[in-house]
Amino acid sequence: MKKTTKRILAGIMSAAVLTSFAACADDSGSGGGVTVPADTTTERTEWTGDNIEVAAAEELDTSIDISGKTLKWMGFNDLNPTNNNPERSTEVALFEDTYGAKIEWMETTHDKRFDDLATSIIGGNPPDIFLYEWRSFPYDVSKGQYQPIDSLVDWDDPMWAEVKDTADIFMMNGEHYVAPFGYRINDYQILMYDRDMVEELGFEDPYELYEKGEWDWDAFLDISKNFQGGDTEKFAITGWWANAFVYTAGDTLITYDGNKFTNNLYSAKIERAQEVIADLCAHSLVKPGWTDPGAAFLDGNLLFYGMGTWAYEAAAESVPDHTIQVVPFPKEPGSDKNYMSKAIHSHMWVKGSDNADVVKAWYNVNRLVFSDAQYTDVTKQKHLANNPHWPEEIYDLVASYNDDDKFIFAYDYGYGLSDNMGDVIMPELYEGKVNDKYESWITAREEYMILVDSEISVYN
């Protein structure tokens, strides 16, 4: 994670994935929803041992004495083993075995999580950690929900120094609030497609075009229009994709320089990307309505499914005799940069928590798991064992997107300004044309310009 992250951005919604239904100019389907991960459960199970063992870590600071102490985690999924996930994660195994500490789950639901967090803080019984999400910064930070983390993180330690530039983009009043562990393997916004179908149709493989540096908007439009060939029952794309496509132009709606948020709706780059989306809609290439990942490739009438990598397992499982390939979103013609929407994994330090040493140890364990080859491999093996339809080469390909020099972290601060911005205004702006709500990007932009200025003024 390098300094290139300081301007561009887009996250995907924590452990839940925000998915906006795709429609098009002459269709009525639209909407939005939240997909909660399959491992969400209230069931408990007794841990009986790891199938894939996690070796002890000599790199961890064992002078931190937290033996017998408990890390309190509030979330809608349990970090401890459950019936759905009977094996300890790499980070939980290291945390428990290295420090002799344990994790207590303060259970909440997806819908009530923020209310329950606020209630716990006011009531004097806060958790220690809570999942980093879009609204964590700046909204919840500005509301006093979280503590700065500079007393916990040694930014001079090589494993933390590597991600300090990314942490810097989440500073407020000179203090850091997000400790980036790394990027979540399940939360890269990418394009999936049936490679066997593409080969049978005689098209050049999009991934091969990407490898040759030729995967750009023009190539994307060309294969999309040839695939449809005038057949209105065939579509080029569906899913959650418009924001990630716009990011490929190298700009976002709201930017932040560490002190001031800026309305960037007049960006020429954004307008160029939105013109491509308008072209897709004009040719009826966008499939309307929600398509479940398990149904995306069943009938052969869809070319690309744009979604987070969390959807890969179901998509691949649905067509076991075919290969579901992934490829980054196409870049702007003439650009040598690939901008990608990928989600930072981190846990916020909750206001009122006095468990600093335990949180510090947990942070160090998580950062080690994301940065040390020994533990990234263990995590990979656990993922492949739990997701049998992920080929190893697909996992390695997605993991390569970690490299911010090749895949510039794209992030839009607008999602974190308020619930209204994140849930309503941002989807309307990015997807207004796709969902047939606005005649053009210009129409949507002008309608929301004053509202966006108003939202930003709260912080500036």
Side-chain angles (χ1 to χ4, degrees):
M1 299 184 180
K2 307 293 184 183
K3 292 185 184 298
T4 48
T5 63
K6 288 194 173 184
R7 176 168 171 79
I8 310 296
L9 255 124
I12 198 163
M13 191 179 177
S14 69
V17 180
L18 178 66
T19 56
S20 292
F21 301 171
C24 206
D26 54 355
D27 295 298
S28 59
S30 62
V34 172
T35 300
V36 179
D39 63 353
T40 300
T41 180
T42 57
E43 297 177 275
R44 307 298 198 276
T45 188
E46 181 180 353
W47 175 67
T48 57
D50 295 322
N51 292 322
I52 300 172
E53 295 294 332
V54 181
E58 297 180 358
E59 300 89 340
L60 290 172
D61 181 4
T62 55
S63 67
I64 302 174
D65 184 8
I66 57 171
S67 178
K69 293 187 177 182
T70 299
L71 177 73
K72 294 192 294 183
W73 148 258
M74 178 178 283
F76 54 85
N77 64 308
D78 195 351
L79 297 179
N80 298 296
T82 66
N83 288 344
N84 290 339
N85 288 296
E87 185 166 329
R88 294 185 301 175
S89 66
T90 310
E91 55 269 24
V92 169
L94 281 178
F95 180 71
E96 292 182 342
D97 297 347
T98 302
Y99 292 107
K102 62 180 181 179
I103 299 171
E104 174 190 340
W105 182 27
M106 296 177 66
E107 187 174 357
T108 183
T109 65
H110 185 272
D111 290 341
K112 293 178 58 182
R113 66 196 188 283
F114 295 119
D115 291 338
D116 287 346
L117 176 64
T119 299
S120 72
I121 294 172
I122 293 171
N125 183 36
D128 297 309
I129 55 172
F130 191 87
L131 189 70
Y132 158 76
E133 301 193 36
W134 271 340
R135 64 168 265 178
S136 300
F137 187 92
Y139 183 74
D140 284 336
V141 168
S142 71
K143 299 299 181 184
Q145 299 286 79
Y146 303 121
Q147 303 184 60
I149 59 169
D150 295 289
S151 62
L152 306 182
V153 176
D154 179 3
W155 299 113
D156 293 325
D157 184 323
M159 72 175 182
W160 285 112
E162 185 179 348
V163 295
K164 185 177 181 298
D165 288 338
T166 303
D168 286 349
I169 69 176
F170 297 106
M171 292 183 71
M172 185 171 285
N173 299 322
E175 296 180 300
H176 293 91
Y177 283 87
V178 178
F181 303 151
Y183 296 118
R184 290 197 297 269
I185 195 73
N186 277 329
D187 282 334
Y188 295 87
Q189 270 182 285
I190 45 82
L191 293 174
M192 300 174 226
Y193 63 96
D194 184 335
R195 191 175 69 186
D196 296 81
M197 182 184 72
V198 168
E199 290 179 352
E200 290 171 6
L201 292 172
F203 299 139
E204 188 164 2
D205 188 338
Y207 186 73
E208 292 181 4
L209 288 170
Y210 162 75
E211 287 190 310
K212 293 189 294 184
E214 298 173 6
W215 183 234
D216 60 15
W217 296 349
D218 292 339
F220 171 74
L221 286 172
D222 183 60
I223 190 175
S224 295
K225 292 174 181 178
N226 284 323
F227 173 75
Q228 187 195 52
D231 185 346
T232 57
E233 296 299 315
K234 290 187 174 183
F235 300 94
I237 191 167
T238 196
W240 184 55
W241 61 275
N243 63 325
F245 188 91
V246 172
Y247 301 152
T248 63
D251 225 341
T252 56
L253 301 181
I254 309 299
T255 61
Y256 179 60
D257 64 4
N259 295 295
K260 182 180 180 181
F261 294 93
T262 299
N263 181 337
N264 197 36
L265 269 63
Y266 280 123
S267 164
K269 294 180 180 180
I270 291 172
E271 187 167 337
R272 289 198 298 270
Q274 287 284 356
E275 286 172 354
V276 178
I277 291 175
D279 191 4
L280 289 167
C281 287
H283 288 84
S284 301
L285 291 171
V286 181
K287 184 178 181 180
W290 166 251
T291 298
D292 185 270
F297 300 110
L298 288 178
D299 61 12
N301 288 331
L302 178 68
L303 182 56
F304 293 109
Y305 188 60
M307 192 58 70
T309 39
W310 62 269
Y312 183 86
E313 175 77 5
E317 183 180 12
S318 68
V319 284
D321 295 331
H322 287 215
T323 298
I324 300 302
Q325 181 64 42
V326 304
V327 68
F329 280 82
K331 63 186 178 180
E332 184 174 15
S335 173
D336 61 353
K337 295 180 171 60
N338 289 287
Y339 298 94
M340 177 172 284
S341 173
K342 40 191 178 180
I344 290 174
H345 180 44
S346 185
H347 292 149
M348 308 297 289
W349 188 21
V350 178
K351 189 74 171 180
S353 164
D354 58 2
N355 224 1
D357 284 348
V358 178
V359 177
K360 179 177 182 177
W362 177 250
Y363 278 6
N364 286 337
V365 163
N366 275 269
R367 179 61 195 138
L368 181 68
V369 166
F370 276 86
S371 61
D372 186 283
Q374 174 183 358
Y375 297 111
T376 57
D377 185 65
V378 170
T379 299
K380 169 184 169 180
Q381 298 309 319
K382 287 177 179 284
H383 181 95
L384 295 177
N386 292 329
N387 299 275
H389 297 281
W390 274 68
E392 184 172 2
E393 57 268 27
I394 293 294
Y395 186 99
D396 291 342
L397 174 59
V398 173
S400 73
Y401 300 153
N402 289 342
D403 187 343
D404 282 325
D405 288 331
K406 294 181 179 179
F407 305 95
I408 302 171
F409 178 39
Y411 184 92
D412 198 315
Y413 290 93
Y415 287 104
L417 293 178
S418 69
D419 283 337
N420 187 46
M421 278 290 289
D423 297 342
V424 179
I425 297 177
M426 298 295 287
E428 289 283 284
L429 286 167
Y430 275 118
E431 302 155 30
K433 178 60 180 174
V434 169
N435 288 335
D436 194 26
K437 292 190 175 183
Y438 298 95
E439 180 181 349
S440 68
W441 158 245
I442 305 300
T443 305
R445 178 183 71 189
E446 295 306 318
E447 178 167 330
Y448 281 101
M449 184 66 67
I450 294 176
L451 282 174
V452 170
D453 283 339
S454 177
E455 292 274 0
I456 289 176
S457 68
V458 174
Y459 299 94
N460 295 341

